[in-house]
Structure formats: C-alpha cells, structure tokens
Amino acid sequence: AVITVRNAQAASLAWALIEAAKPHMNAGERNYVFVTVGAGDTFAAIRSLIKLVAAKHVPLRRQLAQQCATWLDGYTFHNEHEHLRRIIDGFLMPSSIQASTAIGPPSTPPKPRPLLTVTGKRRTRHLPPVSSANSRASM
C-alpha cells in the first residue's frame, strides 16, 4: 500500500512538472515524458523534467519545487541524487535570496563624492600680435 501511494505521488508530481514545462517543450520532449510516465517509469520522467526545467529556465511555483525536493529524498542512494539535489536547490534559491534581501537591512546610500572646486585666478596667455609682414608672406 505504501508503494502504491508513493507511485501515485510520483505520478502526480510528474504530471505537475509536465504542465509547468509543456509550453517550453518540443514534440520529442513531450513524447518522451508522456511515454515514460505512461510506462510507469516516473523516476526517469521526473529526472528528465527537472533537467529540462533547469536547462530552459522554466519558472516553477515554490510549492512544486519543494515537492521535487521531497520526492528526491526517497532516492538518497541513487547515483544522480547529488546532481538532482543541486538542480532542485537552484529552483528554490532565487526565491529565498529575494526574500532575504526584502527582509534584510536597507542598503546604505553611497558616500557623497566631494565637489570639485577651483581656486585661484584664471590665467590666460596672450599671444603676440601678428605683424603685417607675416600676414603678407602667407598670402
């Protein structure tokens, strides 16, 4: 009975991931996950969907990402566990980072830069007058 409940939860998770990712999947990707779920290999389907969602930056609701994390807890000793954990943590991190920045202390304004000031008198250099002999020579 426990296995049946776990399989039903995994199938439910697979279908929820399919719904989230469907607009971003091509025909081949859709066919693969539909056939894989239909064949009862929910692990392969969910693994494929998690990788696809990460590769295509498909936004997931936080609750769905948390369901992925809970599902993965059942596969602690699987050879892809750590890789999938990093991907799922990537789904969960952006929202927790946003929350911590929204709650955190306000940022301090940049220090004002000192204004440039000019002291002293402006000096201009006077050129010697052009002699009429020089202006005739240039003609």
Side-chain angles (χ1 to χ4, degrees), residues 20-44:
K22 195 181 338 182
H24 305 275
M25 294 190 309
N26 62 39
E29 293 162 338
R30 279 192 307 274
N31 288 340
Y32 174 78
V33 295
F34 289 148
V35 169
T36 308
V37 170
D41 192 354
T42 55
F43 178 85

Side-chain angles (χ1 to χ4, degrees), residues 13-14 17 46 49-50 53 60-75 84-85 88-89 91-92:
L13 175 60
L17 285 169
I46 293 170
L49 286 160
I50 287 171
V53 164
L60 290 184
R61 293 181 329 272
R62 183 166 179 78
Q63 179 186 7
L64 184 54
Q66 288 174 332
Q67 287 174 334
C68 291
T70 301
W71 165 83
L72 188 58
D73 289 341
Y75 295 93
L84 292 171
R85 175 64 63 200
I88 292 169
D89 287 348
F91 299 155
L92 294 170

Side-chain angles (χ1 to χ4, degrees), residues 113-130:
R113 297 171 70 189
L115 297 175
L116 295 176
T117 56
V118 179
T119 59
K121 293 182 180 179
R122 182 175 171 196
R123 297 182 186 180
T124 57
R125 184 174 176 191
H126 295 285
L127 298 174
V130 178

